[in-house]
Structures are given as structure tokens and as C-alpha cells.
Amino acid sequence: YGGQAAAMEFFHKPASKLTAREAALIAAVLPNPRRWSPSHPDAYINRKASRIVYFMSRSGYGLDE
């Protein structure tokens, strides 16, 4: 998957319209998006996504959320 394909597959919208949390969920399932789903995350993926959002905010990315 590319980012655009993953956004359309899992969230039914273009990558440019993803929230920071949705983008983090896609990143969190890597390297195995066949085992985990960003649209139906388990506790492990939710924790990973939360860490990703945290580090995104700490690195200076302007998050709209």
C-alpha cells in the first residue's frame, strides 16, 4: 500500500483528509497491515498510534486535533 491507497481502503477518504489519529493508525499497523487493521484497532495498535501522535506533536507538526 501507499499512503493514498491505505487511506482509501481503511478510512474511505483521501490521505489529505485524514486526521492525525487516522494517519497514526495507518503507521501503527506497519509492517503488517494484513494482521492488524487501522480501522478496527486492538489495544496494542491504539497504544502505538497514541505514541505516534504524541511524537508528531512533540516534533513540531501542527496537529489540528
Side-chain angles (χ1 to χ4, degrees), residues 20 50-63:
S50 293
R51 284 194 306 271
I52 291 167
V53 170
Y54 171 78
F55 288 119
M56 288 168 66
S57 68
R58 297 276 303 183
S59 65
Y61 286 94
L63 301 179

Side-chain angles (χ1 to χ4, degrees), residues 2 7 14 20-21 24-25 33 39-40 43 46 50 55 60 65:
R21 178 73 182 174
L25 284 165
S39 57
H40 302 303
N46 274 317
S50 293
F55 288 119
E65 308 181 300

Side-chain angles (χ1 to χ4, degrees), residues 1-16 18 26:
Y1 284 113
Q4 181 71 15
M8 294 302 294
E9 174 74 20
F10 295 113
F11 296 108
H12 310 290
K13 56 182 158 181
S16 62
L18 290 175
I26 290 173

